[in-house]
Every structure is written in structure tokens, then in C-alpha cells.
Amino acid sequence: NNGFVSNYVVGTGGTWGPISNPGTYLVTSNSSLAHSNFTSFNDHSGSGNMMVVNGASTANTSVWCQSILVSPNTDYNFSAWVTSCESGQPASQLAQLQFSINGTAIGNVFSPTAVAPGWTNFSSTWNSGSNANAVICIVNQNTAAAANDFALDDIFFQPVCTFTDTLKVIAKPLPSL
């Protein structure tokens, strides 16, 4: 629970566990440790922690943000692994997440599958323009108070590398018969 900021708060408990209340999260190794109604599963890679979230009912709420240095005029790939915390929830109630950089939404809104755990990778590309700093965020656009629960893992932000090479082809004459 360090290295990032959130408009959500660390869960303090309730009837179903630490994140019983909407707008709370817990960094944990198993989803059911955060909320007893959640399907029990581990992080995306299976051996570490993940951010388990009880979605807030306020749209455009920053779930996870980090301020980083970037190189100007560079393309970056922003990606994350996401899953629902409960299987069988209606699509209209699933989290509707979006990447945001410096307060501007980038890429399309994405939702996890209705199967938990159904880890899915989402990504978007961003050009830094003249920026030397960026506040990168994942925001939740859904306003459903129920079933708007998800886990985030393996958040990734890196420059896109483009390699070029020159190849010279010299055609040799065919041998005569």
C-alpha cells in the first residue's frame, strides 16, 4: 500500500471484511481476505499481492494513481490486468475502468469479464508531447453500488520501443545452363 495514491480509502472493516463498504480497497494476496463474498483467487501471476477494490458509486473516481517522470515526445504503453471479484454479475454493474494521464482520459473504457477470476489485460498508448512529468491513473466510470468490484494487478507503464533497420538486397544473375 505504497508508491501510489487513490481517491478510494483503505478498508477498515464491516460485515463482510475489510472492504465491505463501497469506495474502499485492500492490497492483499487473496481476494476473499478483502471481502467474504468475493470468489477466492490470487493475483494475476499467482505469487504476490494485488489491489482488490469495492467500487464507489461516483463516476470518474481515481482508483490508482502514480506520478512519474517521462521523456518528452515519446510514446508510452499503459496497461493493467483486471478481473471481477464475483462471478455472474450483470454487465451493467461491472466496473467500467479507464486510463487517465494528467487528468485526461485515454483509450476506451474497459470492463473485466463477469467470471472471477477472469484476468484480462487492457492497454492504451499515449504520447507525452512536451510533458516531462505525468500523473498516470486508473479511474472507475461506473456508478453501480453493487457488483462494481474488481482487482487490479501488474500495472505497467513503459516507453514504446521502435526499431528500424536497413536491408540492401542485391540480385545475382541466374546461372546459365
Side-chain angles (χ1 to χ4, degrees), residues 8 22-23 53-63 84 89-98 109-113 138-150:
Y8 284 54
V53 181
N54 187 332
S57 57
T58 305
N60 207 32
T61 303
S62 295
V63 178
S84 294
Q89 300 300 321
S92 63
Q93 292 180 315
L94 295 174
Q96 296 173 1
L97 304 171
Q98 189 166 29
V109 172
F110 55 91
S111 292
T113 64
I138 298 173
V139 297
N140 190 358
Q141 305 292 6
N142 198 343
T143 58
N148 181 10
D149 308 314
F150 56 95

Side-chain angles (χ1 to χ4, degrees), residues 16-19 25-54 83-86 116-117 119 150-153:
W16 302 286
I19 63 169
Y25 75 91
L26 185 68
V27 175
T28 183
S29 60
N30 189 292
S31 57
S32 62
L33 297 175
H35 195 294
S36 61
N37 290 337
F38 291 172
T39 302
S40 179
F41 60 87
N42 297 325
D43 72 310
H44 170 252
S45 60
S47 61
N49 287 323
M50 62 188 152
M51 183 180 197
V52 181
V53 181
N54 187 332
T83 186
S84 294
C85 289
E86 299 173 87
W119 288 106
F150 56 95
L152 293 169
D153 198 25

Side-chain angles (χ1 to χ4, degrees), residues 5-174:
V5 296
S6 179
N7 287 340
Y8 284 54
V9 297
V10 176
T12 57
T15 305
W16 302 286
I19 63 169
S20 293
N21 300 314
T24 58
Y25 75 91
L26 185 68
V27 175
T28 183
S29 60
N30 189 292
S31 57
S32 62
L33 297 175
H35 195 294
S36 61
N37 290 337
F38 291 172
T39 302
S40 179
F41 60 87
N42 297 325
D43 72 310
H44 170 252
S45 60
S47 61
N49 287 323
M50 62 188 152
M51 183 180 197
V52 181
V53 181
N54 187 332
S57 57
T58 305
N60 207 32
T61 303
S62 295
V63 178
W64 177 95
C65 295
Q66 187 174 11
S67 182
I68 59 171
L69 298 174
V70 294
S71 298
N73 302 310
T74 302
D75 288 332
Y76 285 86
N77 179 45
F78 191 0
S79 68
W81 287 87
V82 181
T83 186
S84 294
C85 289
E86 299 173 87
S87 292
Q89 300 300 321
S92 63
Q93 292 180 315
L94 295 174
Q96 296 173 1
L97 304 171
Q98 189 166 29
F99 297 118
S100 170
I101 299 180
N102 295 336
T104 301
I106 65 164
N108 296 322
V109 172
F110 55 91
S111 292
T113 64
V115 177
W119 288 106
T120 306
N121 184 256
F122 294 96
S123 66
S124 189
T125 303
W126 172 74
N127 185 281
S128 59
S130 61
N131 293 298
N133 295 297
V135 177
I136 62 174
C137 296
I138 298 173
V139 297
N140 190 358
Q141 305 292 6
N142 198 343
T143 58
N148 181 10
D149 308 314
F150 56 95
L152 293 169
D153 198 25
D154 298 330
I155 300 167
F156 182 80
F157 191 83
Q158 183 175 10
V160 174
C161 297
T162 304
F163 293 96
T164 58
D165 198 359
T166 303
L167 179 66
K168 185 175 181 181
V169 177
I170 299 173
K172 293 187 174 188
L174 294 172

